[in-house]
Amino acid sequence: QRSEKCIPNLSAHCRRESDLMAALQTPSPFAGTARRFAPRLRYLLLPTTMSLSSSIVSSRSRDGDGEQPLLPHSSLEIAGARRGLLAGFDSLRRPYRAFPVFASNRHVETIFAAFTRSLPTVAFRRECLRTPDDGAVALDWVSGDDRALPGDAPVLILLPGLTGGSQDTYVRHMLLRARSKGWRVVVFNSRGCANSPVTTAKFYSASFTGDLRQVVDHVLTRYPQSNIYAAGWSLGANILVRYLGEETDKCSLSGAVSMCNPFNLVIADEDFHKGFNNIYDRALANSLRAIFKK
């Protein structure tokens, strides 16, 4: 979302030839992120980029001004080129088909999963990380991974939703799936979550990325030879995406996934007070109250 604001979709917004030429000559501020985020990005977008360049060269030739054709800068990233990206991932182009009955309605799916989804047994090794303001966050690593995995194994940081943590079923299932692929996984439990200690009056929120920044730097220091990735749900996804936007080309992550992100928090909050959603609102409020009691 941030990148689309900073680098408008060239095909949609650069109407004049001069705008296109200026855009092609300007190195993308997200070039470093593009190289780390998606090694296949240049391959996937090359046809789009070269097509754009060809149209410019053709236009120049018609003008007859004798100028040399201008090729795209090597770091060019075309934001919003969804067609080129989707072409490389068949699963993203398939239509969504809900699971019969149980996933036919969002409330049915949510309640069904809450009462029937299994809670896998995972042995964790907890590491408490002290923050500069004397706060504390808990990192739950899978016990034994230091011996079982190579030092350069990819690392996945999981950011649960509001009041969530390593005790949640959706977090553990994702952890086991990544672990089965040879990934090292750590759950980032925010202040007060998953029985982590509350040592300051300061809690965590969607606008606060300081703790995540420290966690990413800590993990990268511990495993300097590994690619570091992150995946977040709900509020965790919101914090993650905000962090990515703040870091821009300085981001140390090799990739990130945002799931069920309430991008517009005001609208999301208003929606919590409508109809059946009041049940979710009360459940989350009770979970927050339990943390604040600490």
Side-chain angles (χ1 to χ4, degrees), residues 7-11 14 16-29 42 45-60 68-79:
I7 315 174
N9 186 335
L10 296 181
S11 62
C14 294
R16 300 188 308 275
E17 178 189 342
S18 58
D19 294 335
L20 286 170
M21 299 302 294
L24 287 174
Q25 293 182 75
T26 304
S28 165
R42 192 181 309 279
L45 294 185
L46 186 59
T48 306
T49 308
M50 296 311 297
S51 175
L52 182 62
S53 175
S54 299
S55 65
I56 296 172
V57 173
S58 175
S59 175
R60 287 286 187 184
Q68 293 296 320
L70 183 65
L71 295 177
H73 192 277
S74 60
S75 65
L76 175 67
E77 175 189 359
I78 301 180

Side-chain angles (χ1 to χ4, degrees), residues 232-253:
W233 295 265
S234 192
L235 184 65
N238 196 283
I239 296 172
L240 174 59
V241 169
R242 183 181 181 89
Y243 164 79
L244 296 174
E246 292 174 351
E247 292 295 294
T248 61
D249 61 324
K250 300 184 297 295
C251 185
S252 301
L253 296 176

Side-chain angles (χ1 to χ4, degrees), residues 279-294:
I279 295 178
Y280 308 135
D281 188 47
R282 284 195 293 269
L284 289 171
N286 288 335
S287 299
L288 281 171
R289 288 171 61 190
I291 294 177
F292 278 119
K293 283 180 181 179
K294 295 181 181 181

